[in-house]
């Protein structure tokens, strides 16, 4: 039989404190989950009405990034959690936009034919962190992600 968590903590002299059932505000993990949930619901609520909601998982990296930019580090309160974990975030190198925003992803001149399509409709899903000033976009026609340095933002009405 496996030992329970309390037995393990006691055997290693680890201090712990239990919280009453259904009192989530005392549990730091529960509070963090609630914060992320609220943040992600607000992101989903602001997406373009035509955004394919079955692609919600593609919005998670930017949700985590923006939440970490907003939160203070517990180690050094003068830094954001993002800066503490990954270094200072450079908005000039990595521009951010509202996730789920409708865009036209422009194809580079080298990749299109002379009479070919100049761009494809899609949705911005986050920054391309490893590419300089590029955007990650979900192109509905191909059902896949493309990195692009040139997009046109299409405004939508709520």
């Amino acid at each position: 039989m496996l030992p329970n968590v309390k037995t393990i903590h006691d055997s290693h002299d680890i201090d712990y404190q239990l919280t009453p059932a259904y009192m989530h505000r005392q549990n730091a993990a529960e509070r963090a989950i609630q914060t992320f949930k609220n943040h992600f619901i607000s992101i989903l609520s602001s997406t373009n009405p035509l955004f394919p909601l079955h692609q919600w998982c593609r919005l998670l990296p930017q949700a985590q990034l923006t939440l970490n930019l907003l939160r203070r580090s517990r180690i050094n309160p003068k830094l954001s959690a993002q800066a503490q974990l990954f270094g200072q975030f450079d908005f000039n190198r990595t521009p951010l936009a509202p996730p789920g925003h409708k865009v036209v992803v422009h194809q580079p001149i080298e990749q299109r034919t002379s009479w070919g399509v100049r761009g494809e409709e899609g949705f911005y899903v986050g920054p391309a962190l490893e590419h300089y000033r590029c955007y990650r976009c979900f192109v509905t026609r191909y059902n896949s992600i493309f990195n692009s340095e040139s997009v046109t933002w299409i405004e939508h009405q709520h």
Side-chain angles (χ1 to χ4, degrees), residues 8 19 49 82 89 92 127 133 149:
I8 294 170
T19 60
Q82 180 72 19
F89 186 80
N92 291 321
R133 298 191 58 80
E149 63 180 332

Side-chain angles (χ1 to χ4, degrees), residues 1-152:
M1 185 169 123
L2 293 173
N4 66 21
V5 174
K6 288 174 30 176
T7 307
I8 294 170
H9 282 101
D10 290 336
S11 68
H12 293 294
D13 254 352
I14 297 173
D15 188 31
Y16 63 91
Q17 188 172 12
L18 302 174
T19 60
Y22 305 107
M23 188 179 288
H24 301 298
R25 69 180 177 271
Q26 297 294 332
N27 188 339
E30 290 284 348
R31 186 65 231 148
I33 290 168
Q34 189 63 43
T35 300
F36 182 83
K37 182 179 171 185
N38 292 338
H39 182 65
F40 196 65
I41 287 172
S42 70
I43 287 172
L44 288 176
S45 299
S46 67
T47 61
N48 187 294
L50 301 175
F51 179 77
L53 281 180
H54 66 278
Q55 297 294 328
W56 65 269
C57 57
R58 301 201 188 267
L59 305 178
L60 288 173
Q62 183 166 337
Q64 179 183 350
L65 170 70
T66 53
L67 193 60
N68 282 340
L69 285 169
L70 294 170
R71 279 196 325 210
R72 283 189 305 196
S73 166
R74 290 186 181 194
I75 298 168
N76 182 356
K78 293 182 180 181
L79 296 175
S80 69
Q82 180 72 19
Q84 183 70 48
L85 293 170
F86 305 106
Q88 202 62 32
F89 186 80
D90 187 352
F91 288 94
N92 291 321
R93 290 181 54 169
T94 313
L96 297 176
H101 202 96
K102 193 168 187 178
V103 296
V104 173
V105 179
H106 298 284
Q107 294 181 356
I109 295 172
E110 301 83 24
Q111 294 180 350
R112 64 182 186 223
T113 61
S114 61
W115 290 94
V117 177
R118 302 297 195 239
E120 296 286 345
E121 281 191 1
F123 296 92
Y124 169 81
V125 293
L129 295 173
E130 295 178 350
H131 298 84
Y132 181 73
R133 298 191 58 80
C134 285
Y135 307 97
R136 290 182 70 237
C137 300
F138 175 76
V139 177
T140 49
R141 179 176 171 189
Y142 300 113
N143 199 30
S144 63
I145 295 291
F146 287 87
N147 290 335
S148 178
E149 63 180 332
S150 179
V151 297
T152 299

